[in-house]
Coordinates of all heavy atoms in Angstrom, one line a residue:
M7 N -26.7 -70.7 -0.6 CA -26.5 -71.3 -2.0 C -26.4 -72.7 -1.9 O -25.6 -73.2 -1.0 CB -25.3 -70.7 -2.7 CG -24.9 -71.4 -3.9 SD -23.3 -71.0 -4.3 CE -23.4 -69.9 -5.8
S8 N -27.1 -73.5 -2.6 CA -27.1 -75.0 -2.6 C -25.8 -75.6 -3.1 O -25.1 -74.9 -4.2 CB -28.1 -75.6 -3.5 OG -28.0 -76.9 -3.6
R9 N -25.3 -76.5 -2.6 CA -24.0 -77.1 -3.2 C -24.3 -77.8 -4.6 O -23.3 -78.2 -5.3 CB -23.4 -78.1 -2.1 CG -24.2 -79.4 -2.0 CD -23.6 -80.4 -1.0 NE -24.4 -81.4 -0.7 CZ -24.1 -82.4 -0.1 NH1 -22.8 -82.5 0.4 NH2 -24.9 -83.4 0.1
Y10 N -25.5 -77.9 -4.9 CA -25.9 -78.5 -6.2 C -26.1 -77.4 -7.2 O -26.5 -77.6 -8.4 CB -26.9 -79.4 -6.1 CG -26.8 -80.5 -5.2 CD1 -27.4 -80.6 -3.9 CD2 -25.9 -81.6 -5.5 CE1 -27.2 -81.7 -3.1 CE2 -25.7 -82.7 -4.7 CZ -26.4 -82.7 -3.5 OH -26.1 -83.7 -2.6
S11 N -25.9 -76.2 -6.8 CA -26.4 -75.0 -7.7 C -25.6 -75.0 -9.1 O -26.1 -74.6 -10.1 CB -26.2 -73.7 -7.1 OG -24.9 -73.5 -6.8
S12 N -24.5 -75.5 -9.1 CA -23.6 -75.5 -10.4 C -23.6 -76.9 -11.0 O -22.9 -77.1 -12.0 CB -22.1 -75.0 -10.1 OG -21.6 -75.9 -9.1
T13 N -24.2 -77.9 -10.5 CA -24.3 -79.2 -11.0 C -25.4 -79.3 -12.1 O -26.6 -78.9 -11.8 CB -24.6 -80.3 -9.9 OG1 -23.6 -80.1 -8.8 CG2 -24.6 -81.7 -10.5
P14 N -25.0 -79.7 -13.2 CA -26.1 -79.7 -14.4 C -27.1 -80.8 -14.0 O -26.9 -81.8 -13.4 CB -25.2 -80.2 -15.5 CG -23.8 -80.1 -15.2 CD -23.7 -80.1 -13.8
I15 N -28.3 -80.4 -14.5 CA -29.4 -81.3 -14.4 C -29.7 -82.0 -15.8 O -29.8 -81.1 -16.8 CB -30.7 -80.5 -13.9 CG1 -30.5 -80.0 -12.5 CG2 -32.0 -81.5 -14.0 CD1 -31.6 -79.1 -11.9
I16 N -29.9 -83.3 -15.8 CA -30.1 -84.1 -17.0 C -31.4 -84.5 -17.1 O -32.0 -85.1 -16.1 CB -28.9 -85.1 -17.1 CG1 -27.5 -84.5 -17.1 CG2 -29.1 -85.9 -18.4 CD1 -26.4 -85.6 -17.0
K17 N -32.0 -84.5 -18.3 CA -33.3 -85.1 -18.4 C -33.0 -86.3 -19.2 O -32.4 -86.4 -20.3 CB -34.2 -84.1 -19.3 CG -35.6 -84.6 -19.3 CD -36.4 -83.5 -20.0 CE -37.9 -84.1 -20.1 NZ -38.7 -83.0 -20.8
N18 N -33.7 -87.4 -18.8 CA -33.5 -88.7 -19.5 C -34.4 -88.8 -20.7 O -35.6 -88.9 -20.5 CB -33.9 -89.8 -18.5 CG -33.7 -91.3 -19.0 OD1 -33.4 -91.4 -20.1 ND2 -33.6 -92.2 -18.1
P19 N -33.7 -88.8 -21.9 CA -34.5 -88.9 -23.1 C -35.3 -90.2 -23.3 O -36.4 -90.2 -24.0 CB -33.5 -88.7 -24.1 CG -32.3 -89.2 -23.6 CD -32.4 -88.8 -22.1
Q20 N -35.0 -91.2 -22.5 CA -35.5 -92.6 -22.7 C -36.9 -92.5 -21.9 O -37.7 -93.4 -22.0 CB -34.6 -93.6 -22.1 CG -33.2 -93.5 -22.8 CD -33.2 -94.4 -24.1 OE1 -33.7 -95.4 -24.3 NE2 -32.3 -93.9 -25.0
E21 N -37.0 -91.6 -21.0 CA -38.0 -91.7 -20.0 C -39.2 -90.8 -20.4 O -39.0 -89.6 -20.8 CB -37.5 -91.2 -18.7 CG -38.5 -91.1 -17.5 CD -38.7 -92.6 -16.9 OE1 -37.6 -93.2 -16.9 OE2 -39.8 -92.8 -16.5
N22 N -40.4 -91.2 -20.6 CA -41.5 -90.4 -21.1 C -42.0 -89.5 -20.2 O -42.7 -88.5 -20.5 CB -42.7 -91.4 -21.5 CG -42.4 -92.1 -22.8 OD1 -41.5 -91.6 -23.7 ND2 -43.0 -93.3 -23.0
K23 N -41.7 -89.8 -18.8 CA -42.3 -88.9 -17.7 C -41.3 -87.8 -17.5 O -41.6 -86.9 -16.6 CB -42.4 -89.8 -16.5 CG -43.4 -90.8 -16.6 CD -43.5 -91.6 -15.4 CE -44.4 -92.8 -15.6 NZ -44.6 -93.6 -14.5
G24 N -40.3 -87.6 -18.3 CA -39.3 -86.5 -18.1 C -38.5 -86.4 -17.0 O -38.2 -85.4 -16.2
A25 N -38.1 -87.6 -16.4 CA -37.3 -87.7 -15.2 C -36.1 -86.9 -15.4 O -35.4 -86.9 -16.4 CB -37.0 -89.2 -14.9
R26 N -35.7 -86.2 -14.3 CA -34.5 -85.3 -14.3 C -33.7 -85.7 -13.1 O -34.1 -86.2 -12.1 CB -34.9 -83.9 -14.0 CG -35.8 -83.4 -15.3 CD -36.2 -81.9 -15.1 NE -36.1 -81.4 -13.8 CZ -35.9 -80.2 -13.4 NH1 -35.7 -79.3 -14.3 NH2 -35.9 -79.7 -12.2
F27 N -32.2 -85.6 -13.3 CA -31.3 -86.0 -12.3 C -30.1 -85.2 -12.4 O -29.9 -84.6 -13.5 CB -31.1 -87.5 -12.1 CG -30.6 -88.0 -13.6 CD1 -29.3 -88.1 -13.8 CD2 -31.6 -88.5 -14.5 CE1 -28.7 -88.5 -15.0 CE2 -31.1 -88.9 -15.8 CZ -29.7 -88.9 -15.9
Y28 N -29.4 -85.2 -11.2 CA -28.1 -84.5 -11.3 C -27.0 -85.3 -12.0 O -27.0 -86.5 -11.8 CB -27.7 -84.1 -9.9 CG -28.5 -83.1 -9.2 CD1 -29.5 -83.3 -8.3 CD2 -28.4 -81.6 -9.6 CE1 -30.3 -82.3 -7.7 CE2 -29.2 -80.7 -9.1 CZ -30.0 -81.1 -8.1 OH -30.9 -80.1 -7.5
S29 N -26.2 -84.7 -12.8 CA -25.0 -85.4 -13.3 C -24.1 -85.7 -12.4 O -24.0 -84.9 -11.4 CB -24.5 -84.6 -14.4 OG -23.9 -83.5 -14.0
T30 N -23.2 -86.7 -12.6 CA -22.2 -87.1 -11.6 C -21.0 -86.2 -11.9 O -20.5 -85.9 -13.0 CB -21.8 -88.6 -11.8 OG1 -23.0 -89.3 -11.6 CG2 -20.7 -89.0 -10.9
T31 N -20.3 -85.8 -10.8 CA -19.1 -84.9 -10.9 C -17.9 -85.9 -10.7 O -17.9 -86.6 -9.6 CB -19.1 -83.8 -9.9 OG1 -20.3 -83.0 -10.1 CG2 -17.9 -83.0 -9.9
T32 N -17.0 -85.8 -11.5 CA -15.8 -86.6 -11.4 C -14.6 -85.6 -10.9 O -14.5 -84.6 -11.5 CB -15.4 -87.2 -12.7 OG1 -16.4 -88.0 -13.2 CG2 -14.0 -88.0 -12.6
Y33 N -14.0 -85.9 -9.7 CA -13.0 -85.0 -9.1 C -11.6 -85.4 -9.6 O -11.3 -86.6 -9.7 CB -13.1 -85.1 -7.6 CG -14.4 -84.4 -7.1 CD1 -15.5 -85.2 -6.7 CD2 -14.5 -83.0 -7.1 CE1 -16.6 -84.6 -6.4 CE2 -15.7 -82.4 -6.6 CZ -16.7 -83.2 -6.4 OH -17.9 -82.6 -6.0
P34 N -10.7 -84.5 -9.9 CA -9.4 -84.9 -10.4 C -8.5 -85.2 -9.4 O -8.7 -85.0 -8.1 CB -9.0 -83.5 -11.0 CG -9.6 -82.5 -10.2 CD -11.1 -83.1 -9.8
K35 N -7.4 -85.9 -9.7 CA -6.4 -86.2 -8.8 C -5.6 -84.8 -8.7 O -5.2 -84.4 -9.9 CB -5.5 -87.4 -9.3 CG -4.3 -87.8 -8.4 CD -3.6 -89.0 -8.8 CE -2.5 -89.3 -7.8 NZ -1.9 -90.5 -8.1
I36 N -5.2 -84.4 -7.6 CA -4.4 -83.1 -7.6 C -2.8 -83.5 -7.5 O -2.4 -84.2 -6.6 CB -4.9 -82.4 -6.3 CG1 -6.3 -82.3 -6.1 CG2 -4.3 -81.0 -6.2 CD1 -7.1 -81.6 -7.2
P37 N -2.1 -82.9 -8.4 CA -0.7 -83.2 -8.4 C 0.0 -82.4 -7.3 O -0.4 -81.5 -6.8 CB -0.2 -82.5 -9.7 CG -1.4 -81.7 -10.3 CD -2.7 -82.0 -9.6
L38 N 1.0 -83.2 -6.9 CA 1.9 -82.7 -5.9 C 2.7 -81.4 -6.2 O 2.9 -81.2 -7.4 CB 2.8 -83.7 -5.4 CG 2.4 -84.8 -4.5 CD1 3.6 -86.0 -4.4 CD2 1.9 -84.4 -3.2
S39 N 2.9 -80.5 -5.3 CA 3.7 -79.3 -5.7 C 4.6 -79.1 -4.4 O 4.3 -79.3 -3.2 CB 2.8 -78.2 -5.8 OG 3.5 -76.9 -5.7
V40 N 5.8 -78.5 -4.7 CA 6.7 -78.3 -3.4 C 6.1 -77.1 -2.7 O 6.6 -77.0 -1.5 CB 8.1 -77.8 -4.0 CG1 8.8 -79.0 -4.7 CG2 8.1 -76.6 -5.0
N41 N 5.1 -76.3 -3.1 CA 4.5 -75.1 -2.4 C 3.3 -75.6 -1.6 O 2.7 -74.9 -1.0 CB 4.2 -74.1 -3.3 CG 5.4 -73.5 -4.1 OD1 6.5 -73.4 -3.4 ND2 5.1 -73.2 -5.3
D42 N 2.9 -77.0 -1.6 CA 1.8 -77.4 -0.8 C 2.1 -77.2 0.7 O 3.2 -77.3 1.1 CB 1.4 -78.9 -1.1 CG 1.0 -79.2 -2.4 OD1 0.5 -78.1 -3.2 OD2 0.9 -80.2 -3.0
I43 N 1.0 -77.0 1.3 CA 1.1 -76.8 2.8 C 0.5 -78.1 3.5 O -0.3 -78.8 3.0 CB 0.1 -75.7 3.2 CG1 0.7 -74.4 2.6 CG2 0.2 -75.5 4.8 CD1 -0.3 -73.2 2.7
Y44 N 1.2 -78.6 4.6 CA 0.8 -79.7 5.3 C 0.3 -79.3 6.7 O 1.1 -78.5 7.4 CB 2.0 -80.7 5.4 CG 2.1 -81.4 4.1 CD1 3.0 -80.7 3.0 CD2 1.6 -82.6 3.6 CE1 3.3 -81.3 1.9 CE2 1.8 -83.2 2.4 CZ 2.6 -82.5 1.5 OH 2.8 -83.0 0.3
V45 N -0.9 -79.8 7.2 CA -1.3 -79.4 8.5 C -1.8 -80.7 9.2 O -2.1 -81.6 8.6 CB -2.5 -78.5 8.3 CG1 -2.1 -77.1 7.7 CG2 -3.6 -78.9 7.6
L46 N -1.7 -80.5 10.5 CA -2.4 -81.6 11.4 C -3.8 -81.0 11.8 O -3.8 -79.9 12.3 CB -1.6 -81.9 12.5 CG -0.4 -82.8 12.3 CD1 0.5 -82.9 13.6 CD2 -0.7 -84.2 11.8
T47 N -4.9 -81.9 11.6 CA -6.0 -81.3 12.0 C -6.3 -81.4 13.5 O -5.8 -82.1 14.2 CB -7.3 -82.3 11.4 OG1 -7.0 -83.6 12.0 CG2 -7.2 -82.3 9.9
G48 N -7.0 -80.2 14.0 CA -7.2 -80.1 15.4 C -8.9 -80.2 15.6 O -9.6 -80.5 14.7
I49 N -9.1 -79.9 16.8 CA -10.6 -79.9 17.2 C -11.4 -78.9 16.4 O -11.0 -77.8 16.3 CB -10.7 -79.7 18.7 CG1 -10.1 -80.8 19.5 CG2 -12.3 -79.6 19.1 CD1 -10.1 -80.5 20.9
G50 N -12.5 -79.4 15.8 CA -13.4 -78.5 15.1 C -12.9 -78.3 13.5 O -13.7 -77.7 12.8
D51 N -11.9 -78.9 13.2 CA -11.5 -78.8 11.7 C -12.4 -79.5 10.8 O -12.8 -80.6 11.2 CB -10.0 -79.2 11.5 CG -9.1 -78.1 11.8 OD1 -9.5 -76.9 12.0 OD2 -7.8 -78.5 12.1
R52 N -12.9 -78.9 9.7 CA -13.6 -79.5 8.7 C -13.1 -79.1 7.4 O -12.4 -78.1 7.2 CB -15.1 -79.1 8.7 CG -15.8 -79.7 10.0 CD -17.2 -79.3 10.0 NE -17.7 -78.2 9.1 CZ -18.6 -77.3 9.3 NH1 -19.2 -77.4 10.5 NH2 -19.0 -76.5 8.4
L53 N -13.3 -79.9 6.3 CA -12.9 -79.5 5.0 C -13.3 -78.2 4.5 O -12.5 -77.4 4.0 CB -13.1 -80.6 4.1 CG -12.7 -82.0 4.3 CD1 -13.2 -83.1 3.2 CD2 -11.1 -81.9 4.1
D54 N -14.6 -77.9 4.7 CA -15.0 -76.6 4.3 C -14.4 -75.4 5.0 O -14.3 -74.4 4.4 CB -16.6 -76.5 4.3 CG -17.2 -76.8 5.6 OD1 -16.6 -77.4 6.5 OD2 -18.3 -76.4 6.0
L55 N -14.2 -75.6 6.3 CA -13.6 -74.5 7.2 C -12.1 -74.3 6.7 O -11.7 -73.3 6.6 CB -13.7 -74.9 8.6 CG -15.2 -74.9 9.1 CD1 -15.1 -75.4 10.6 CD2 -15.8 -73.6 8.9
L56 N -11.4 -75.5 6.5 CA -10.1 -75.3 6.0 C -10.0 -74.7 4.6 O -9.1 -73.9 4.3 CB -9.4 -76.7 6.0 CG -9.1 -77.3 7.4 CD1 -8.7 -78.8 7.2 CD2 -8.1 -76.5 8.2
A57 N -10.9 -75.1 3.7 CA -10.9 -74.5 2.4 C -11.1 -72.9 2.6 O -10.5 -72.1 1.8 CB -12.0 -75.1 1.5
N58 N -12.0 -72.5 3.4 CA -12.3 -71.1 3.6 C -11.0 -70.5 4.2 O -10.7 -69.2 3.7 CB -13.4 -70.9 4.5 CG -13.9 -69.4 4.7 OD1 -14.1 -68.8 3.5 ND2 -14.1 -68.9 5.8
Q59 N -10.3 -71.1 5.1 CA -9.1 -70.5 5.8 C -8.0 -70.4 4.7 O -7.4 -69.3 4.7 CB -8.6 -71.4 6.9 CG -7.3 -70.9 7.6 CD -6.9 -71.9 8.7 OE1 -7.6 -72.8 9.0 NE2 -5.7 -71.8 9.0
F60 N -7.7 -71.3 3.9 CA -6.6 -71.2 3.0 C -6.9 -70.6 1.6 O -6.0 -70.1 1.0 CB -6.0 -72.6 2.8 CG -5.3 -73.2 4.0 CD1 -5.9 -73.9 4.9 CD2 -4.0 -72.8 4.2 CE1 -5.3 -74.4 6.1 CE2 -3.3 -73.2 5.4 CZ -3.9 -74.0 6.3
Y61 N -8.2 -70.8 1.2 CA -8.6 -70.4 -0.1 C -9.6 -69.2 -0.2 O -9.8 -68.6 -1.2 CB -9.2 -71.4 -1.0 CG -8.2 -72.7 -1.1 CD1 -8.9 -74.0 -1.0 CD2 -6.8 -72.6 -1.4 CE1 -8.1 -75.1 -1.1 CE2 -6.1 -73.6 -1.6 CZ -6.6 -75.0 -1.3 OH -5.9 -76.1 -1.5
G62 N -10.1 -68.9 1.1 CA -11.2 -67.9 1.0 C -12.6 -68.3 0.5 O -13.4 -67.5 0.2
N63 N -12.7 -69.6 0.2 CA -13.9 -70.2 -0.3 C -14.2 -71.6 0.3 O -13.6 -72.6 -0.1 CB -13.8 -70.2 -1.8 CG -15.1 -70.5 -2.6 OD1 -16.0 -71.1 -1.9 ND2 -15.1 -70.4 -3.9
P64 N -15.3 -71.7 1.1 CA -15.6 -72.9 1.7 C -16.0 -74.1 0.6 O -15.9 -75.3 0.8 CB -16.7 -72.7 2.6 CG -17.3 -71.5 2.2 CD -16.2 -70.8 1.6
N65 N -16.5 -73.6 -0.6 CA -16.9 -74.5 -1.7 C -15.7 -75.2 -2.3 O -16.0 -76.2 -3.2 CB -17.7 -73.8 -2.7 CG -18.9 -73.2 -2.2 OD1 -19.6 -73.8 -1.4 ND2 -19.3 -72.0 -2.7
L66 N -14.5 -74.9 -1.9 CA -13.4 -75.6 -2.5 C -12.8 -76.7 -1.7 O -11.8 -77.2 -1.7 CB -12.2 -74.6 -2.8 CG -12.5 -73.6 -3.9 CD1 -11.4 -72.6 -4.0 CD2 -12.8 -74.3 -5.2
W67 N -13.8 -77.2 -0.6 CA -13.4 -78.3 0.1 C -13.0 -79.5 -0.6 O -12.2 -80.2 -0.2 CB -14.7 -78.8 1.0 CG -15.8 -79.2 0.1 CD1 -16.9 -78.4 -0.4 CD2 -16.1 -80.4 -0.3 NE1 -17.7 -79.2 -1.1 CE2 -17.2 -80.4 -1.2 CE3 -15.5 -81.6 -0.2 CZ2 -17.8 -81.5 -1.7 CZ3 -15.9 -82.8 -0.8 CH2 -17.1 -82.7 -1.6
W68 N -13.5 -79.7 -1.8 CA -13.2 -80.9 -2.7 C -11.7 -80.9 -3.1 O -11.2 -82.0 -3.3 CB -14.1 -81.0 -4.0 CG -14.0 -79.7 -4.8 CD1 -14.8 -78.7 -4.8 CD2 -13.1 -79.7 -5.8 NE1 -14.4 -77.8 -5.8 CE2 -13.4 -78.4 -6.5 CE3 -12.1 -80.5 -6.4 CZ2 -12.6 -77.9 -7.6 CZ3 -11.4 -79.9 -7.4 CH2 -11.6 -78.7 -8.1
V69 N -11.1 -79.7 -3.2 CA -9.7 -79.7 -3.6 C -8.9 -80.4 -2.6 O -8.0 -81.3 -2.8 CB -9.2 -78.2 -3.8 CG1 -7.7 -78.1 -4.0 CG2 -9.9 -77.6 -4.9
I70 N -9.1 -80.1 -1.2 CA -8.4 -80.7 -0.1 C -8.7 -82.2 -0.1 O -7.9 -83.0 0.2 CB -8.7 -80.0 1.2 CG1 -8.2 -78.5 1.1 CG2 -8.0 -80.6 2.4 CD1 -8.7 -77.6 2.3
S71 N -10.1 -82.5 -0.2 CA -10.5 -83.9 -0.2 C -9.8 -84.7 -1.2 O -9.4 -85.9 -1.0 CB -12.1 -84.0 -0.3 OG -12.4 -85.4 -0.3
S72 N -9.8 -84.2 -2.5 CA -9.1 -85.0 -3.6 C -7.6 -85.1 -3.5 O -7.1 -86.1 -3.9 CB -9.4 -84.1 -4.9 OG -10.8 -84.3 -5.2
A73 N -7.0 -84.2 -2.8 CA -5.5 -84.2 -2.6 C -5.2 -85.2 -1.4 O -4.0 -85.7 -1.4 CB -5.0 -82.9 -2.2
N74 N -6.2 -85.6 -0.6 CA -5.9 -86.5 0.4 C -6.8 -87.7 0.3 O -7.8 -87.8 0.9 CB -6.2 -85.8 1.8 CG -5.2 -84.7 1.9 OD1 -4.2 -84.8 2.4 ND2 -5.7 -83.4 1.6
G75 N -6.5 -88.6 -0.5 CA -7.2 -89.8 -0.9 C -7.6 -90.7 0.3 O -8.5 -91.6 0.2
E76 N -6.8 -90.6 1.4 CA -7.1 -91.5 2.5 C -8.1 -91.1 3.5 O -8.5 -91.7 4.5 CB -5.8 -91.8 3.3 CG -5.3 -90.6 4.0 CD -4.6 -89.5 3.3 OE1 -4.3 -89.8 2.1 OE2 -4.3 -88.4 3.8
I77 N -8.6 -89.8 3.3 CA -9.7 -89.4 4.3 C -11.0 -89.9 3.7 O -11.3 -90.0 2.7 CB -9.7 -87.9 4.4 CG1 -9.9 -87.1 3.1 CG2 -8.3 -87.4 5.0 CD1 -10.0 -85.6 3.2
P78 N -12.0 -90.0 4.7 CA -13.3 -90.4 4.3 C -14.0 -89.5 3.3 O -13.9 -88.3 3.4 CB -14.1 -90.6 5.7 CG -13.1 -90.6 6.7 CD -11.8 -89.9 6.1
K79 N -14.8 -89.9 2.4 CA -15.3 -89.1 1.4 C -16.8 -88.8 1.7 O -17.5 -88.2 1.0 CB -15.3 -89.8 0.0 CG -13.8 -90.1 -0.4 CD -13.1 -88.8 -0.7 CE -11.7 -89.1 -1.2 NZ -10.7 -88.2 -0.9
D80 N -17.3 -89.3 2.8 CA -18.7 -89.2 3.1 C -19.0 -88.2 4.1 O -20.2 -88.0 4.6 CB -19.3 -90.6 3.6 CG -18.6 -91.0 4.9 OD1 -17.6 -90.5 5.3 OD2 -19.1 -92.1 5.5
S81 N -18.1 -87.3 4.4 CA -18.3 -86.2 5.4 C -17.3 -85.1 5.3 O -16.3 -85.4 4.8 CB -18.1 -86.8 6.8 OG -18.3 -85.9 7.8
L82 N -17.6 -83.9 5.7 CA -16.6 -82.8 5.7 C -15.8 -82.9 6.9 O -14.7 -82.2 7.1 CB -17.5 -81.5 5.7 CG -18.3 -81.1 4.4 CD1 -18.9 -79.8 4.5 CD2 -17.3 -81.1 3.2
N83 N -16.2 -83.7 8.0 CA -15.3 -83.9 9.1 C -14.1 -84.7 9.0 O -14.2 -85.7 8.1 CB -16.3 -84.4 10.3 CG -17.3 -83.6 10.7 OD1 -17.1 -82.4 10.8 ND2 -18.5 -84.0 10.9
I84 N -13.2 -84.4 9.6 CA -11.8 -85.2 9.5 C -11.4 -85.6 10.9 O -11.6 -84.9 11.9 CB -10.8 -84.1 9.0 CG1 -11.2 -83.4 7.9 CG2 -9.5 -84.9 8.6 CD1 -10.5 -82.0 7.7
P85 N -10.9 -86.9 10.9 CA -10.4 -87.4 12.2 C -9.3 -86.5 12.8 O -8.6 -85.9 12.2 CB -9.9 -88.7 12.0 CG -10.6 -89.2 10.6 CD -10.8 -87.9 9.9
L86 N -9.4 -86.3 14.1 CA -8.4 -85.4 14.9 C -7.0 -85.9 14.7 O -6.9 -87.2 14.7 CB -8.9 -85.5 16.4 CG -8.0 -84.5 17.2 CD1 -8.2 -83.1 16.9 CD2 -8.4 -84.8 18.8
G87 N -6.0 -85.1 14.4 CA -4.7 -85.5 14.3 C -4.3 -85.9 12.8 O -3.2 -86.5 12.6
T88 N -5.2 -85.9 11.9 CA -4.9 -86.3 10.5 C -4.0 -85.3 9.8 O -4.2 -84.1 10.0 CB -6.2 -86.5 9.8 OG1 -7.1 -87.4 10.4 CG2 -5.9 -87.0 8.3
Q89 N -3.0 -85.8 9.2 CA -2.2 -84.9 8.5 C -2.7 -84.7 7.0 O -3.1 -85.6 6.4 CB -0.7 -85.4 8.2 CG 0.1 -84.5 7.5 CD 1.6 -85.0 7.2 OE1 1.9 -86.0 7.8 NE2 2.4 -84.2 6.5
L90 N -3.0 -83.4 6.7 CA -3.6 -83.0 5.4 C -2.7 -82.3 4.5 O -1.9 -81.4 5.1 CB -4.9 -82.3 5.6 CG -6.1 -82.9 6.2 CD1 -7.2 -81.9 6.3 CD2 -6.6 -84.1 5.3
R91 N -2.7 -82.6 3.3 CA -2.0 -81.7 2.2 C -2.9 -80.7 1.7 O -4.1 -80.9 1.2 CB -1.4 -82.7 1.1 CG -0.7 -81.8 0.0 CD -0.1 -82.7 -0.9 NE -1.0 -83.5 -1.8 CZ -1.4 -83.2 -3.0 NH1 -1.0 -82.1 -3.6 NH2 -2.1 -84.0 -3.8
I92 N -2.6 -79.5 1.7 CA -3.4 -78.3 1.3 C -2.7 -77.9 0.0 O -1.7 -77.2 0.0 CB -3.5 -77.3 2.3 CG1 -3.9 -77.6 3.7 CG2 -4.4 -76.1 1.7 CD1 -5.3 -78.1 3.8
P93 N -3.3 -78.2 -1.2 CA -2.7 -77.8 -2.4 C -2.5 -76.3 -2.6 O -3.4 -75.5 -2.2 CB -3.6 -78.3 -3.4 CG -4.3 -79.4 -2.8 CD -4.5 -79.1 -1.5
S94 N -1.4 -75.9 -3.0 CA -1.1 -74.5 -3.1 C -1.8 -73.8 -4.4 O -1.8 -72.6 -4.4 CB 0.5 -74.1 -3.1 OG 0.9 -74.9 -4.3
T95 N -2.2 -74.6 -5.3 CA -2.8 -73.9 -6.4 C -4.2 -74.5 -6.8 O -4.4 -75.4 -7.5 CB -2.0 -74.2 -7.6 OG1 -1.6 -75.7 -7.7 CG2 -0.6 -73.6 -7.7
P96 N -5.2 -74.0 -6.0 CA -6.5 -74.5 -6.2 C -7.1 -74.1 -7.7 O -7.9 -74.9 -8.2 CB -7.4 -73.7 -5.2 CG -6.7 -72.5 -4.9 CD -5.2 -72.9 -5.0
G97 N -6.5 -73.0 -8.3 CA -6.9 -72.7 -9.6 C -6.7 -73.8 -10.7 O -7.4 -74.1 -11.6
Q98 N -5.5 -74.5 -10.4 CA -5.2 -75.7 -11.3 C -6.2 -76.9 -11.0 O -6.6 -77.5 -12.1 CB -3.7 -76.0 -11.0 CG -3.3 -77.2 -11.8 CD -1.9 -77.8 -11.3 OE1 -1.5 -77.6 -10.2 NE2 -1.3 -78.5 -12.2
A99 N -6.6 -77.0 -9.8 CA -7.5 -78.0 -9.5 C -8.8 -77.9 -10.2 O -9.5 -78.6 -10.7 CB -7.7 -78.3 -8.0
I100 N -9.3 -76.5 -10.2 CA -10.5 -76.1 -10.8 C -10.5 -76.3 -12.3 O -11.5 -76.8 -13.0 CB -10.8 -74.6 -10.4 CG1 -11.2 -74.5 -8.9 CG2 -12.0 -74.1 -11.3 CD1 -11.2 -73.1 -8.4
N101 N -9.4 -76.0 -13.0 CA -9.2 -76.3 -14.3 C -9.2 -77.7 -14.6 O -9.9 -78.2 -15.6 CB -7.9 -75.7 -14.9 CG -7.9 -74.2 -14.8 OD1 -8.9 -73.5 -14.9 ND2 -6.6 -73.6 -14.8
L102 N -8.7 -78.6 -13.8 CA -8.7 -80.0 -14.1 C -10.1 -80.5 -14.0 O -10.5 -81.4 -14.7 CB -7.7 -80.7 -13.1 CG -6.3 -80.5 -13.3 CD1 -5.6 -81.1 -12.1 CD2 -5.8 -81.2 -14.6
L103 N -10.8 -80.1 -12.9 CA -12.2 -80.4 -12.6 C -13.1 -80.0 -14.0 O -13.8 -80.8 -14.3 CB -12.8 -79.8 -11.4 CG -14.3 -79.9 -11.2 CD1 -14.4 -81.4 -10.5 CD2 -14.8 -78.9 -10.2
N104 N -12.9 -78.8 -14.4 CA -13.6 -78.4 -15.6 C -13.5 -79.2 -16.8 O -14.4 -79.5 -17.5 CB -13.5 -76.9 -15.8 CG -14.0 -76.0 -14.8 OD1 -15.0 -76.4 -14.2 ND2 -13.5 -74.8 -14.6
Q105 N -12.1 -79.6 -17.0 CA -11.8 -80.5 -18.1 C -12.4 -81.8 -18.0 O -12.9 -82.4 -19.1 CB -10.3 -80.7 -18.2 CG -9.4 -79.5 -18.6 CD -8.0 -79.6 -18.6 OE1 -7.5 -80.6 -18.3 NE2 -7.2 -78.5 -18.8
L106 N -12.5 -82.4 -16.9 CA -13.0 -83.8 -16.7 C -14.5 -83.8 -16.8 O -15.0 -84.9 -17.1 CB -12.6 -84.3 -15.2 CG -11.3 -84.8 -14.9 CD1 -11.1 -85.2 -13.6 CD2 -11.1 -86.2 -15.7
N107 N -15.2 -82.7 -16.4 CA -16.6 -82.6 -16.4 C -17.2 -81.9 -17.5 O -18.3 -81.5 -17.4 CB -17.1 -82.1 -15.1 CG -16.6 -83.2 -13.9 OD1 -17.3 -84.3 -13.9 ND2 -15.6 -82.9 -13.3
S108 N -16.4 -81.5 -18.5 CA -17.1 -80.7 -19.7 C -17.6 -81.5 -20.8 O -17.3 -82.8 -20.9 CB -16.0 -79.8 -20.3 OG -15.0 -80.3 -20.7

């Protein structure tokens, strides 16, 4: 499954040639919770693997990324020894994402 499979495709009405492009996704700021989990990254840790470990879904990598604003946004890889906050309620993050992008 492509990571773009749920991203809407927009057709530019100004363009006679029917140019199409993917819409931009805006990710929400994830609120803190007393139930959040904090981990130190080890060798081989990636955002998608951590999302699969904690949420059972590697596609929720963006929840961990959004909750940790200081990590690089251009890769799923995380520097070794980085402390990450794993939000305890990914469902809330998904609802916020849907509200921002509807």
Side-chain angles (χ1 to χ4, degrees):
M7 173 196 255
S8 168
R9 66 179 174 168
Y10 299 109
S11 63
S12 63
T13 303
I15 297 175
I16 299 172
K17 187 174 180 181
N18 188 345
Q20 311 270 325
E21 183 80 33
N22 290 334
K23 296 178 183 176
R26 299 177 338 149
F27 54 92
Y28 290 105
S29 69
T30 303
T31 301
T32 304
Y33 292 100
K35 182 174 180 174
I36 311 296
L38 288 170
S39 169
V40 295
N41 297 320
D42 290 346
I43 300 166
Y44 291 85
V45 298
L46 286 176
T47 58
I49 295 172
D51 280 342
R52 294 188 336 216
L53 293 176
D54 57 338
L55 298 176
L56 290 169
N58 192 49
Q59 178 183 346
F60 288 97
Y61 305 137
N63 185 345
N65 294 327
L66 294 178
W67 62 268
W68 61 268
V69 175
I70 300 170
S71 179
S72 293
N74 296 278
E76 69 282 352
I77 62 173
K79 301 296 184 207
D80 59 351
S81 174
L82 293 175
N83 294 315
I84 313 153
L86 184 66
T88 303
Q89 181 178 356
L90 292 178
R91 176 171 68 99
I92 311 292
S94 60
T95 54
Q98 180 185 20
I100 293 168
N101 289 339
L102 291 170
L103 177 77
N104 291 335
Q105 289 173 8
L106 279 174
N107 294 286
S108 58

